[in-house]
Amino acid sequence: MQVDTEKIPVVAVPVELSELNIECFYDTLREQLKNSPGIIKLDCSYLKQVASSHINILWQAYQICLSTETRLSLKSPPLELIRVIEVLDLREFFFQQDWQNQIDIDKTGTCVTSDTFEYDIQPCSENIPKATDKFLDFLTCQSVPALVCFELRTVFYEVMNNIISYGDVFKEDDIHFSAGIDGDKIILIFIDKGNPFDPTNSELNKDIVGVAKQGKKRGFGIAIIRKLTDSMKYERRFNNTNVLTLEKTWHQEEGVN
Amino acid sequence: MIQKALKDDTVLINPGKILDNSNAHEMVDALAEVREKGYAYVVIDMAELEFLSSAGVGSILGNVEVFREAEGDIVLCNASKDISHVLQVLDLMDYLTIKENQKEAAAFCGIE
């Protein structure tokens, strides 16, 4: 997925649905789409009451974005809107990420968008792309800069692939992945029940060019993970689980650390 | 991998959208085939490439010295900002031969 490195454009959904406001909304949306942003957010934070016409213009906006291969995301949808979308069975169009992981409803009924992501993946290489897509959806919804998203996608792929390919994990033992964002910092945690392997002690590929000159074609994964993250911690727990914790920070303006 | 001869000693390879653990062996096989056929230069056009894993990096890296020892090279071109960034983070920008576009890559290989 190519995402513009500029800030994701946001278009406010009109509260009052006059003909003029609706026309202005579509014009603004189309104007933003001319820049091929890759993803666009519709700001729903001002919607106090949701009318059927709101759903109609959201659907029209979705169609417009679809025609330009642009992903559409809803920013700060009110609880009422979420419920209507769910009742109409439209959540797969507006909430492409894992539904339960992204939207939490606290005791007062206020919708709270979670800044954590959790996902269990069956240890099979074919499952990595789908898991990656869900992780990327989470990152883009959290306004993580595009370049950082690409780096994290790469890290996620390399760790998952190493666990699945070399960890001898039983098919019944899912790999548990969680990610938590705090401002411009993310913590990734991978938990699996495979063979013990401490990547922090690995001498593999510290000098990538040196290894390349020897004609080696494999084994660069850990080097990539190290280079694209700020810290790596490994722990082998008493119940024979591996816990790999990675941290990464970035500058919001620059997009990278 | 799509291959196309640009000149007697130069061939163009298009790796497609993804070069990862699922298809990196195809790149290895393609480069071996190109070498056996006697091509000195390989231009890898990354215009469509959206993702490059460590296996993809390795499939290219592991063959660079072979082509250079035969007085040729592997030349990358049209890499996206994301792909270029990863190569830069891996300190490979100085080691690999990377050109902006296919025309510059062809010129490096002696094609006018």
Side-chain angles (χ1 to χ4, degrees):
Chain A
M1 175 183 79
Q2 292 290 339
V3 178
D4 200 297
T5 53
E6 298 293 323
K7 188 177 175 183
I8 295 174
V10 180
V11 179
V13 176
V15 176
E16 292 181 19
L17 298 170
S18 66
E19 201 170 319
L20 181 63
N21 285 350
I22 294 173
E23 189 179 345
C24 184
F25 166 75
Y26 289 134
D27 286 345
T28 306
L29 177 65
R30 290 194 179 95
E31 193 63 34
Q32 292 293 336
L33 290 174
K34 282 181 185 176
N35 298 324
S36 302
I39 184 170
I40 197 162
K41 286 189 178 182
L42 299 186
D43 189 350
C44 304
S45 58
Y46 300 104
L47 297 181
K48 303 295 181 191
Q49 288 180 322
V50 176
S52 58
S53 299
H54 287 114
I55 303 299
N56 188 45
I57 65 170
L58 287 178
W59 179 251
Q60 294 300 323
Y62 171 80
Q63 296 295 328
I64 293 171
C65 289
L66 190 67
S67 67
T68 60
E69 297 183 352
T70 303
R71 189 172 291 191
L72 183 147
S73 173
L74 299 185
K75 179 185 173 186
S76 304
L79 183 58
E80 184 181 359
L81 177 60
I82 295 170
R83 286 180 173 153
V84 170
I85 288 174
E86 190 174 9
V87 165
L88 294 176
D89 204 21
L90 295 174
R91 60 176 177 266
E92 67 175 292
F93 300 103
F94 296 113
F95 297 99
Q96 293 161 349
Q97 62 275 13
D98 187 300
W99 176 257
Q100 291 303 321
N101 281 344
Q102 292 303 301
I103 306 295
D104 292 326
I105 301 172
D106 68 17
K107 292 177 183 175
T108 64
T110 303
C111 173
V112 175
T113 302
S114 173
D115 56 4
T116 61
F117 174 84
E118 295 203 38
Y119 194 80
D120 289 329
I121 176 173
Q122 198 177 23
C124 175
S125 298
E126 286 73 27
N127 293 332
I128 296 179
K130 181 182 175 185
T132 304
D133 284 344
K134 288 186 181 294
F135 180 42
L136 281 174
D137 283 341
F138 164 73
L139 293 176
T140 51
C141 282
Q142 297 294 321
S143 300
V144 175
L147 201 53
V148 179
C149 286
F150 189 81
E151 291 180 325
L152 291 171
R153 172 190 181 180
T154 305
V155 168
F156 180 84
Y157 176 90
E158 296 295 342
V159 175
M160 281 294 181
N161 186 71
N162 278 353
I163 294 172
I164 291 170
S165 299
Y166 307 115
D168 283 334
V169 184
F170 289 124
K171 285 184 181 176
E172 302 78 33
D173 294 329
D174 287 351
I175 302 165
H176 181 75
F177 171 72
S178 62
I181 290 182
D182 181 11
D184 55 1
K185 175 181 172 181
I186 188 168
I187 297 175
L188 313 176
I189 301 176
F190 299 82
I191 301 176
D192 71 273
K193 292 186 177 179
N195 295 335
F197 177 70
D198 185 355
T200 64
N201 278 338
S202 174
E203 289 296 314
L204 289 174
N205 312 133
K206 282 193 173 177
D207 176 15
I208 295 176
V209 174
V211 172
K213 288 183 176 178
Q214 296 171 25
K216 290 192 177 178
K217 300 178 182 61
R218 303 185 64 177
F220 297 99
I222 293 177
I224 286 179
I225 295 166
R226 277 193 179 139
K227 293 274 189 179
L228 295 180
T229 56
D230 297 313
S231 77
M232 179 193 292
K233 292 179 193 172
Y234 169 79
E235 183 187 351
R236 179 73 176 177
R237 290 189 177 164
F238 66 92
N239 56 350
N240 294 326
T241 56
N242 299 306
V243 181
L244 180 67
T245 305
L246 306 170
E247 289 187 18
K248 182 173 181 68
T249 58
W250 61 87
H251 297 296
Q252 202 70 15
E253 298 80 21
E254 295 168 8
V256 294
N257 188 21
Chain B
M1 305 259 159
I2 300 173
Q3 295 181 33
K4 173 185 162 187
L6 296 180
K7 209 179 82 168
D8 289 345
D9 64 350
T10 305
V11 71
L12 174 72
I13 292 180
N14 180 349
K17 282 191 170 184
I18 293 175
L19 185 56
D20 65 5
N21 298 50
S22 67
N23 65 346
H25 65 280
E26 293 179 24
M27 176 60 77
V28 172
D29 291 344
L31 290 173
E33 183 184 336
V34 162
R35 206 165 61 242
E36 283 173 17
K37 288 181 178 177
Y39 289 100
Y41 291 96
V42 176
V43 174
I44 298 180
D45 192 332
M46 296 182 152
E48 296 175 24
L49 194 64
E50 295 177 1
F51 182 72
L52 178 65
S53 80
S54 59
V57 170
S59 67
I60 297 171
L61 274 187
N63 282 285
V64 168
E65 288 300 310
V66 173
F67 279 86
R68 286 179 178 173
E69 284 170 8
E71 297 186 1
D73 205 348
I74 295 177
V75 185
L76 310 183
C77 69
N78 285 322
S80 68
K81 278 189 285 189
D82 290 340
I83 299 289
S84 297
H85 174 69
V86 171
L87 294 177
Q88 187 172 32
V89 169
L90 297 177
D91 296 324
L92 293 174
M93 296 297 277
D94 289 336
Y95 174 67
L96 293 171
T97 304
I98 301 174
K99 300 297 177 184
E100 279 288 318
N101 51 52
Q102 208 179 106
K103 186 178 177 183
E104 288 185 16
F108 178 86
C109 302
I111 301 173
E112 293 181 8

